[in-house]
Amino acid sequence: MNDHYYMKLALNLAMSTNGQTTPNPAVGAVIVKNNQIVGMGAHLKAGEPHAEVHAIRMAGDHAKGATMYVTLEPCCHFGKTPPCADLVIKSGVKRVVIAMADPNPKISGKGIERLQDAGLQVEVGVLNEDASQINQVFTHFIQTGLPFVTLKSAISLDGKIATKEGKSKWITSSEAREDVHYFRHTHDAILVGVNTIIKDNPSLTTRQAGGGKSPVRFILDTNLRTPIDSKIVSDGLVETWIVTGSNVKKEKMDLYKNRNVHFLQMDSPKIEIKTLLKEMATMGITSLFVEGGAEVLGSFLKERAFQQVITYIAPKLIGGRMAPTSFGGEGIAEIHEALELVINEVKKIGSDIRIISKAM
Ligand code: NDP
Ligand code: ZN
């Protein structure tokens, strides 16, 4: 077995915890001696032991002289737990293979240095791209201080998100809709515009087979039009924030008292997307899933305020000049002004296809 084989195992461990470690990265570790696995671990939750700690505990004395495969550079600072680099050294591991360095520019390379200074053999960069993909949210948040934003839409083959009467249930297959729940599960927060609440009355919770973690819910609602009896206001299932402009009076907000909602009132009459993202970051939100509708997606496009676009395309034709397409807003005049993305993945899901594209 080679380094790639064991690193792939470590990456699979990391990937299986996607969404549950926030605001920490997802990390996996595998300890191997004489081509036998003697320890494995994944970081499960912020505040709990790091992947290396679990793997070293499992390996015990077998760690002596072994190789550790770890998807992220071992930490070298006292956070909620003591530094893993020191523990790795103490365990007797003699070689450490690392997929990616720590993305935090302040500490990147320091854990590697500490291992090398202690005489361990260190290799960095094995399956680096896979590790970067798994930790795209963590890396973005650490480097920009803003949540990683994913825009999602479900469209017909002719790009429509609803009929001319605004009906959108259901454009895509049940398999595609189930798939969306995985992304709700892995994002810290979800956001829609008030029109989507009024028209569709969605609950925006995660309902996937086997359960899941529901994201904190946000509604963009400048003048507070969210119906008091809408599900997200009354179901009490998940923390919910209504974002309003500065002109909404306190008395109006008081009507929602004793309901399951918090208010986030902007200083400006309109809701500025970039200001909102900064607010969310201070609330500890590292990733945001934007589910529409068209006007909201149009605003995120205009501000270039996203990192990833997930599009489900159903083999249906809706037609109609009045039926909305997925991105609204004012639009552009020239083709060269269009925002170019790169396609990261194309996958068939049920009878539909899912395209994941990234902002460059
Ligand atoms: P949205 O759900 O996008 O809501 C838009 C409203 O949000 C605006 O009119 C505005 O109302 C409020 N808002 C507040 N701040 C902002 C901001 N910064 N940028 C944009 N909007 C802001 O409405 P749409 O009418 O575009 O879309 C609703 C339709 O889309 C429905 O028919 C729904 O079924 C469909 N849909 C389809 C989806 C799909 O994937 N197929 C997904 C989601 C919706 P105000 O000024 O009052 O604040
Ligand atoms: Zn650590």
mmCIF file with all atom_site columns, all heavy atoms in Angstrom, residues 96-116:
data_model
loop_
_atom_site.group_PDB
_atom_site.id
_atom_site.type_symbol
_atom_site.label_atom_id
_atom_site.label_alt_id
_atom_site.label_comp_id
_atom_site.label_asym_id
_atom_site.label_entity_id
_atom_site.label_seq_id
_atom_site.pdbx_PDB_ins_code
_atom_site.Cartn_x
_atom_site.Cartn_y
_atom_site.Cartn_z
_atom_site.occupancy
_atom_site.B_iso_or_equiv
_atom_site.pdbx_formal_charge
_atom_site.auth_seq_id
_atom_site.auth_comp_id
_atom_site.auth_asym_id
_atom_site.auth_atom_id
_atom_site.pdbx_PDB_model_num
ATOM 1   N N   . VAL A 1 96  ? 5.456  11.568 9.272  1.00 0.00 ? 96  VAL A N   1
ATOM 2   C CA  . VAL A 1 96  ? 4.123  12.166 9.199  1.00 0.00 ? 96  VAL A CA  1
ATOM 3   C C   . VAL A 1 96  ? 3.870  12.626 7.765  1.00 0.00 ? 96  VAL A C   1
ATOM 4   O O   . VAL A 1 96  ? 4.650  13.396 7.199  1.00 0.00 ? 96  VAL A O   1
ATOM 5   C CB  . VAL A 1 96  ? 3.976  13.368 10.167 1.00 0.00 ? 96  VAL A CB  1
ATOM 6   C CG1 . VAL A 1 96  ? 2.542  13.912 10.123 1.00 0.00 ? 96  VAL A CG1 1
ATOM 7   C CG2 . VAL A 1 96  ? 4.320  12.965 11.592 1.00 0.00 ? 96  VAL A CG2 1
ATOM 8   N N   . VAL A 1 97  ? 2.759  12.136 7.173  1.00 0.00 ? 97  VAL A N   1
ATOM 9   C CA  . VAL A 1 97  ? 2.383  12.539 5.821  1.00 0.00 ? 97  VAL A CA  1
ATOM 10  C C   . VAL A 1 97  ? 1.148  13.436 5.947  1.00 0.00 ? 97  VAL A C   1
ATOM 11  O O   . VAL A 1 97  ? 0.149  13.045 6.552  1.00 0.00 ? 97  VAL A O   1
ATOM 12  C CB  . VAL A 1 97  ? 2.080  11.305 4.936  1.00 0.00 ? 97  VAL A CB  1
ATOM 13  C CG1 . VAL A 1 97  ? 1.741  11.740 3.512  1.00 0.00 ? 97  VAL A CG1 1
ATOM 14  C CG2 . VAL A 1 97  ? 3.261  10.340 4.948  1.00 0.00 ? 97  VAL A CG2 1
ATOM 15  N N   . ILE A 1 98  ? 1.255  14.642 5.394  1.00 0.00 ? 98  ILE A N   1
ATOM 16  C CA  . ILE A 1 98  ? 0.211  15.666 5.583  1.00 0.00 ? 98  ILE A CA  1
ATOM 17  C C   . ILE A 1 98  ? -0.356 16.061 4.217  1.00 0.00 ? 98  ILE A C   1
ATOM 18  O O   . ILE A 1 98  ? 0.408  16.290 3.275  1.00 0.00 ? 98  ILE A O   1
ATOM 19  C CB  . ILE A 1 98  ? 0.833  16.921 6.265  1.00 0.00 ? 98  ILE A CB  1
ATOM 20  C CG1 . ILE A 1 98  ? 1.353  16.545 7.666  1.00 0.00 ? 98  ILE A CG1 1
ATOM 21  C CG2 . ILE A 1 98  ? -0.167 18.068 6.355  1.00 0.00 ? 98  ILE A CG2 1
ATOM 22  C CD1 . ILE A 1 98  ? 2.263  17.601 8.281  1.00 0.00 ? 98  ILE A CD1 1
ATOM 23  N N   . ALA A 1 99  ? -1.689 16.129 4.106  1.00 0.00 ? 99  ALA A N   1
ATOM 24  C CA  . ALA A 1 99  ? -2.277 16.506 2.814  1.00 0.00 ? 99  ALA A CA  1
ATOM 25  C C   . ALA A 1 99  ? -2.166 18.004 2.553  1.00 0.00 ? 99  ALA A C   1
ATOM 26  O O   . ALA A 1 99  ? -1.794 18.426 1.466  1.00 0.00 ? 99  ALA A O   1
ATOM 27  C CB  . ALA A 1 99  ? -3.738 16.063 2.755  1.00 0.00 ? 99  ALA A CB  1
ATOM 28  N N   . MET A 1 100 ? -2.495 18.810 3.543  1.00 0.00 ? 100 MET A N   1
ATOM 29  C CA  . MET A 1 100 ? -2.399 20.269 3.323  1.00 0.00 ? 100 MET A CA  1
ATOM 30  C C   . MET A 1 100 ? -1.929 21.010 4.567  1.00 0.00 ? 100 MET A C   1
ATOM 31  O O   . MET A 1 100 ? -2.201 20.599 5.696  1.00 0.00 ? 100 MET A O   1
ATOM 32  C CB  . MET A 1 100 ? -3.733 20.862 2.826  1.00 0.00 ? 100 MET A CB  1
ATOM 33  C CG  . MET A 1 100 ? -4.862 20.860 3.827  1.00 0.00 ? 100 MET A CG  1
ATOM 34  S SD  . MET A 1 100 ? -6.393 21.598 3.151  1.00 0.00 ? 100 MET A SD  1
ATOM 35  C CE  . MET A 1 100 ? -6.164 23.347 3.515  1.00 0.00 ? 100 MET A CE  1
ATOM 36  N N   . ALA A 1 101 ? -1.189 22.094 4.328  1.00 0.00 ? 101 ALA A N   1
ATOM 37  C CA  . ALA A 1 101 ? -0.718 22.937 5.424  1.00 0.00 ? 101 ALA A CA  1
ATOM 38  C C   . ALA A 1 101 ? -1.910 23.696 6.003  1.00 0.00 ? 101 ALA A C   1
ATOM 39  O O   . ALA A 1 101 ? -2.954 23.826 5.361  1.00 0.00 ? 101 ALA A O   1
ATOM 40  C CB  . ALA A 1 101 ? 0.329  23.905 4.919  1.00 0.00 ? 101 ALA A CB  1
ATOM 41  N N   . ASP A 1 102 ? -1.763 24.200 7.208  1.00 0.00 ? 102 ASP A N   1
ATOM 42  C CA  . ASP A 1 102 ? -2.838 24.980 7.823  1.00 0.00 ? 102 ASP A CA  1
ATOM 43  C C   . ASP A 1 102 ? -3.079 26.247 6.983  1.00 0.00 ? 102 ASP A C   1
ATOM 44  O O   . ASP A 1 102 ? -2.141 26.956 6.654  1.00 0.00 ? 102 ASP A O   1
ATOM 45  C CB  . ASP A 1 102 ? -2.438 25.363 9.251  1.00 0.00 ? 102 ASP A CB  1
ATOM 46  C CG  . ASP A 1 102 ? -3.636 25.841 10.045 1.00 0.00 ? 102 ASP A CG  1
ATOM 47  O OD1 . ASP A 1 102 ? -4.281 26.836 9.625  1.00 0.00 ? 102 ASP A OD1 1
ATOM 48  O OD2 . ASP A 1 102 ? -3.945 25.221 11.066 1.00 0.00 ? 102 ASP A OD2 1
ATOM 49  N N   . PRO A 1 103 ? -4.355 26.526 6.609  1.00 0.00 ? 103 PRO A N   1
ATOM 50  C CA  . PRO A 1 103 ? -4.610 27.695 5.762  1.00 0.00 ? 103 PRO A CA  1
ATOM 51  C C   . PRO A 1 103 ? -4.496 29.032 6.497  1.00 0.00 ? 103 PRO A C   1
ATOM 52  O O   . PRO A 1 103 ? -4.505 30.083 5.858  1.00 0.00 ? 103 PRO A O   1
ATOM 53  C CB  . PRO A 1 103 ? -6.048 27.474 5.281  1.00 0.00 ? 103 PRO A CB  1
ATOM 54  C CG  . PRO A 1 103 ? -6.673 26.604 6.306  1.00 0.00 ? 103 PRO A CG  1
ATOM 55  C CD  . PRO A 1 103 ? -5.580 25.754 6.888  1.00 0.00 ? 103 PRO A CD  1
ATOM 56  N N   . ASN A 1 104 ? -4.393 28.981 7.809  1.00 0.00 ? 104 ASN A N   1
ATOM 57  C CA  . ASN A 1 104 ? -4.265 30.232 8.571  1.00 0.00 ? 104 ASN A CA  1
ATOM 58  C C   . ASN A 1 104 ? -2.847 30.773 8.391  1.00 0.00 ? 104 ASN A C   1
ATOM 59  O O   . ASN A 1 104 ? -1.888 30.180 8.875  1.00 0.00 ? 104 ASN A O   1
ATOM 60  C CB  . ASN A 1 104 ? -4.558 29.946 10.043 1.00 0.00 ? 104 ASN A CB  1
ATOM 61  C CG  . ASN A 1 104 ? -4.558 31.214 10.880 1.00 0.00 ? 104 ASN A CG  1
ATOM 62  O OD1 . ASN A 1 104 ? -4.071 32.252 10.416 1.00 0.00 ? 104 ASN A OD1 1
ATOM 63  N ND2 . ASN A 1 104 ? -5.093 31.127 12.073 1.00 0.00 ? 104 ASN A ND2 1
ATOM 64  N N   . PRO A 1 105 ? -2.718 31.927 7.688  1.00 0.00 ? 105 PRO A N   1
ATOM 65  C CA  . PRO A 1 105 ? -1.368 32.418 7.384  1.00 0.00 ? 105 PRO A CA  1
ATOM 66  C C   . PRO A 1 105 ? -0.517 32.659 8.631  1.00 0.00 ? 105 PRO A C   1
ATOM 67  O O   . PRO A 1 105 ? 0.711  32.582 8.575  1.00 0.00 ? 105 PRO A O   1
ATOM 68  C CB  . PRO A 1 105 ? -1.619 33.739 6.622  1.00 0.00 ? 105 PRO A CB  1
ATOM 69  C CG  . PRO A 1 105 ? -3.059 34.065 6.828  1.00 0.00 ? 105 PRO A CG  1
ATOM 70  C CD  . PRO A 1 105 ? -3.781 32.801 7.188  1.00 0.00 ? 105 PRO A CD  1
ATOM 71  N N   . LYS A 1 106 ? -1.172 32.898 9.774  1.00 0.00 ? 106 LYS A N   1
ATOM 72  C CA  . LYS A 1 106 ? -0.421 33.187 11.002 1.00 0.00 ? 106 LYS A CA  1
ATOM 73  C C   . LYS A 1 106 ? 0.269  31.943 11.567 1.00 0.00 ? 106 LYS A C   1
ATOM 74  O O   . LYS A 1 106 ? 1.265  32.051 12.279 1.00 0.00 ? 106 LYS A O   1
ATOM 75  C CB  . LYS A 1 106 ? -1.358 33.757 12.067 1.00 0.00 ? 106 LYS A CB  1
ATOM 76  C CG  . LYS A 1 106 ? -1.640 35.222 11.847 1.00 0.00 ? 106 LYS A CG  1
ATOM 77  C CD  . LYS A 1 106 ? -2.343 35.807 13.078 1.00 0.00 ? 106 LYS A CD  1
ATOM 78  C CE  . LYS A 1 106 ? -3.295 36.892 12.644 1.00 0.00 ? 106 LYS A CE  1
ATOM 79  N NZ  . LYS A 1 106 ? -4.602 36.807 13.277 1.00 0.00 ? 106 LYS A NZ  1
ATOM 80  N N   . ILE A 1 107 ? -0.292 30.778 11.305 1.00 0.00 ? 107 ILE A N   1
ATOM 81  C CA  . ILE A 1 107 ? 0.311  29.582 11.905 1.00 0.00 ? 107 ILE A CA  1
ATOM 82  C C   . ILE A 1 107 ? 0.747  28.530 10.885 1.00 0.00 ? 107 ILE A C   1
ATOM 83  O O   . ILE A 1 107 ? 1.363  27.532 11.252 1.00 0.00 ? 107 ILE A O   1
ATOM 84  C CB  . ILE A 1 107 ? -0.636 28.928 12.956 1.00 0.00 ? 107 ILE A CB  1
ATOM 85  C CG1 . ILE A 1 107 ? -1.995 28.612 12.334 1.00 0.00 ? 107 ILE A CG1 1
ATOM 86  C CG2 . ILE A 1 107 ? -0.800 29.794 14.177 1.00 0.00 ? 107 ILE A CG2 1
ATOM 87  C CD1 . ILE A 1 107 ? -2.869 27.791 13.273 1.00 0.00 ? 107 ILE A CD1 1
ATOM 88  N N   . SER A 1 108 ? 0.445  28.787 9.594  1.00 0.00 ? 108 SER A N   1
ATOM 89  C CA  . SER A 1 108 ? 0.781  27.803 8.558  1.00 0.00 ? 108 SER A CA  1
ATOM 90  C C   . SER A 1 108 ? 2.273  27.452 8.595  1.00 0.00 ? 108 SER A C   1
ATOM 91  O O   . SER A 1 108 ? 3.126  28.332 8.627  1.00 0.00 ? 108 SER A O   1
ATOM 92  C CB  . SER A 1 108 ? 0.423  28.391 7.192  1.00 0.00 ? 108 SER A CB  1
ATOM 93  O OG  . SER A 1 108 ? 0.693  27.444 6.203  1.00 0.00 ? 108 SER A OG  1
ATOM 94  N N   . GLY A 1 109 ? 2.578  26.188 8.614  1.00 0.00 ? 109 GLY A N   1
ATOM 95  C CA  . GLY A 1 109 ? 3.979  25.721 8.574  1.00 0.00 ? 109 GLY A CA  1
ATOM 96  C C   . GLY A 1 109 ? 4.607  25.533 9.935  1.00 0.00 ? 109 GLY A C   1
ATOM 97  O O   . GLY A 1 109 ? 5.630  24.855 10.065 1.00 0.00 ? 109 GLY A O   1
ATOM 98  N N   . LYS A 1 110 ? 3.999  26.099 10.963 1.00 0.00 ? 110 LYS A N   1
ATOM 99  C CA  . LYS A 1 110 ? 4.634  26.026 12.297 1.00 0.00 ? 110 LYS A CA  1
ATOM 100 C C   . LYS A 1 110 ? 4.551  24.622 12.905 1.00 0.00 ? 110 LYS A C   1
ATOM 101 O O   . LYS A 1 110 ? 5.483  24.180 13.577 1.00 0.00 ? 110 LYS A O   1
ATOM 102 C CB  . LYS A 1 110 ? 4.008  27.052 13.242 1.00 0.00 ? 110 LYS A CB  1
ATOM 103 C CG  . LYS A 1 110 ? 4.366  28.469 12.823 1.00 0.00 ? 110 LYS A CG  1
ATOM 104 C CD  . LYS A 1 110 ? 4.198  29.470 13.944 1.00 0.00 ? 110 LYS A CD  1
ATOM 105 C CE  . LYS A 1 110 ? 4.703  30.840 13.519 1.00 0.00 ? 110 LYS A CE  1
ATOM 106 N NZ  . LYS A 1 110 ? 3.768  31.907 13.806 1.00 0.00 ? 110 LYS A NZ  1
ATOM 107 N N   . GLY A 1 111 ? 3.426  23.952 12.653 1.00 0.00 ? 111 GLY A N   1
ATOM 108 C CA  . GLY A 1 111 ? 3.279  22.576 13.149 1.00 0.00 ? 111 GLY A CA  1
ATOM 109 C C   . GLY A 1 111 ? 4.272  21.658 12.444 1.00 0.00 ? 111 GLY A C   1
ATOM 110 O O   . GLY A 1 111 ? 4.898  20.799 13.074 1.00 0.00 ? 111 GLY A O   1
ATOM 111 N N   . ILE A 1 112 ? 4.420  21.856 11.148 1.00 0.00 ? 112 ILE A N   1
ATOM 112 C CA  . ILE A 1 112 ? 5.356  21.051 10.340 1.00 0.00 ? 112 ILE A CA  1
ATOM 113 C C   . ILE A 1 112 ? 6.777  21.251 10.867 1.00 0.00 ? 112 ILE A C   1
ATOM 114 O O   . ILE A 1 112 ? 7.530  20.294 11.082 1.00 0.00 ? 112 ILE A O   1
ATOM 115 C CB  . ILE A 1 112 ? 5.261  21.475 8.848  1.00 0.00 ? 112 ILE A CB  1
ATOM 116 C CG1 . ILE A 1 112 ? 3.883  21.110 8.291  1.00 0.00 ? 112 ILE A CG1 1
ATOM 117 C CG2 . ILE A 1 112 ? 6.375  20.841 8.016  1.00 0.00 ? 112 ILE A CG2 1
ATOM 118 C CD1 . ILE A 1 112 ? 3.531  21.741 6.954  1.00 0.00 ? 112 ILE A CD1 1
ATOM 119 N N   . GLU A 1 113 ? 7.116  22.518 11.097 1.00 0.00 ? 113 GLU A N   1
ATOM 120 C CA  . GLU A 1 113 ? 8.455  22.866 11.608 1.00 0.00 ? 113 GLU A CA  1
ATOM 121 C C   . GLU A 1 113 ? 8.740  22.169 12.944 1.00 0.00 ? 113 GLU A C   1
ATOM 122 O O   . GLU A 1 113 ? 9.810  21.613 13.147 1.00 0.00 ? 113 GLU A O   1
ATOM 123 C CB  . GLU A 1 113 ? 8.489  24.371 11.847 1.00 0.00 ? 113 GLU A CB  1
ATOM 124 C CG  . GLU A 1 113 ? 9.716  25.059 11.294 1.00 0.00 ? 113 GLU A CG  1
ATOM 125 C CD  . GLU A 1 113 ? 9.476  26.553 11.331 1.00 0.00 ? 113 GLU A CD  1
ATOM 126 O OE1 . GLU A 1 113 ? 9.605  27.145 12.416 1.00 0.00 ? 113 GLU A OE1 1
ATOM 127 O OE2 . GLU A 1 113 ? 9.115  27.130 10.271 1.00 0.00 ? 113 GLU A OE2 1
ATOM 128 N N   . ARG A 1 114 ? 7.719  22.187 13.812 1.00 0.00 ? 114 ARG A N   1
ATOM 129 C CA  . ARG A 1 114 ? 7.939  21.588 15.130 1.00 0.00 ? 114 ARG A CA  1
ATOM 130 C C   . ARG A 1 114 ? 8.215  20.086 15.000 1.00 0.00 ? 114 ARG A C   1
ATOM 131 O O   . ARG A 1 114 ? 9.080  19.544 15.674 1.00 0.00 ? 114 ARG A O   1
ATOM 132 C CB  . ARG A 1 114 ? 6.727  21.830 16.037 1.00 0.00 ? 114 ARG A CB  1
ATOM 133 C CG  . ARG A 1 114 ? 7.065  21.424 17.465 1.00 0.00 ? 114 ARG A CG  1
ATOM 134 C CD  . ARG A 1 114 ? 6.045  21.839 18.486 1.00 0.00 ? 114 ARG A CD  1
ATOM 135 N NE  . ARG A 1 114 ? 5.766  23.264 18.529 1.00 0.00 ? 114 ARG A NE  1
ATOM 136 C CZ  . ARG A 1 114 ? 4.901  23.814 19.383 1.00 0.00 ? 114 ARG A CZ  1
ATOM 137 N NH1 . ARG A 1 114 ? 4.255  23.056 20.252 1.00 0.00 ? 114 ARG A NH1 1
ATOM 138 N NH2 . ARG A 1 114 ? 4.681  25.094 19.374 1.00 0.00 ? 114 ARG A NH2 1
ATOM 139 N N   . LEU A 1 115 ? 7.494  19.424 14.104 1.00 0.00 ? 115 LEU A N   1
ATOM 140 C CA  . LEU A 1 115 ? 7.711  17.993 13.888 1.00 0.00 ? 115 LEU A CA  1
ATOM 141 C C   . LEU A 1 115 ? 9.119  17.746 13.330 1.00 0.00 ? 115 LEU A C   1
ATOM 142 O O   . LEU A 1 115 ? 9.840  16.852 13.780 1.00 0.00 ? 115 LEU A O   1
ATOM 143 C CB  . LEU A 1 115 ? 6.674  17.433 12.902 1.00 0.00 ? 115 LEU A CB  1
ATOM 144 C CG  . LEU A 1 115 ? 5.203  17.484 13.324 1.00 0.00 ? 115 LEU A CG  1
ATOM 145 C CD1 . LEU A 1 115 ? 4.301  17.039 12.178 1.00 0.00 ? 115 LEU A CD1 1
ATOM 146 C CD2 . LEU A 1 115 ? 4.944  16.608 14.550 1.00 0.00 ? 115 LEU A CD2 1
ATOM 147 N N   . GLN A 1 116 ? 9.507  18.585 12.368 1.00 0.00 ? 116 GLN A N   1
ATOM 148 C CA  . GLN A 1 116 ? 10.836 18.419 11.750 1.00 0.00 ? 116 GLN A CA  1
ATOM 149 C C   . GLN A 1 116 ? 11.948 18.675 12.761 1.00 0.00 ? 116 GLN A C   1
ATOM 150 O O   . GLN A 1 116 ? 12.935 17.943 12.806 1.00 0.00 ? 116 GLN A O   1
ATOM 151 C CB  . GLN A 1 116 ? 10.989 19.363 10.549 1.00 0.00 ? 116 GLN A CB  1
ATOM 152 C CG  . GLN A 1 116 ? 10.230 18.860 9.331  1.00 0.00 ? 116 GLN A CG  1
ATOM 153 C CD  . GLN A 1 116 ? 10.124 19.894 8.218  1.00 0.00 ? 116 GLN A CD  1
ATOM 154 O OE1 . GLN A 1 116 ? 10.163 21.109 8.482  1.00 0.00 ? 116 GLN A OE1 1
ATOM 155 N NE2 . GLN A 1 116 ? 9.975  19.437 6.988  1.00 0.00 ? 116 GLN A NE2 1
#
